[in-house]
Amino acid sequence: YLDKINDKTYNLILRENAILKEIIPHELVHLHQYEIGDLKVDRNKKVFIWKGESYDYSTPYRDRPWEKEALKLQRVLWKKFKKQCVY
């Protein structure tokens, strides 16, 4: 997962068996969401703020609109990345 520390610092935490071709583009979408202000986290209130609407931490993963967007766009980003790379 991507953890925003402050305005200039993010930590990307990967599980040992993470599938990088899925995780990296997915988390890049979240980075973009943070940077344009669509996604914010209020750790004190334990809420995510997506485009001005608050979602409790307990909101199921698949019901989070920022995750739906990242899941959709990660495939697009990976395909574009593969086209640009020479193996």
Side-chain angles (χ1 to χ4, degrees), residues 6-54:
N6 59 45
D7 286 341
K8 303 286 182 192
T9 305
Y10 295 86
N11 282 336
L12 179 58
I13 311 299
L14 299 173
R15 288 174 281 130
E16 184 176 342
N17 297 325
I19 301 169
L20 296 181
K21 71 179 186 179
E22 294 175 5
I23 300 293
I24 300 297
H26 182 96
E27 297 307 330
L28 284 174
V29 173
H30 290 319
L31 175 66
H32 178 71
Q33 293 166 339
Y34 280 127
E35 288 297 305
I36 64 172
D38 282 356
L39 180 59
K40 299 175 184 172
V41 177
D42 185 331
R43 284 178 173 67
N44 295 325
K45 295 181 181 177
K46 295 185 179 180
V47 296
F48 299 100
I49 303 163
W50 173 249
K51 297 184 177 182
E53 187 173 340
S54 294

Side-chain angles (χ1 to χ4, degrees), residues 55-68:
Y55 292 82
D56 187 81
Y57 277 18
S58 66
T59 302
Y61 179 85
R62 294 280 181 186
D63 293 339
R64 299 173 179 181
W66 60 94
E67 294 296 350
K68 289 178 182 181

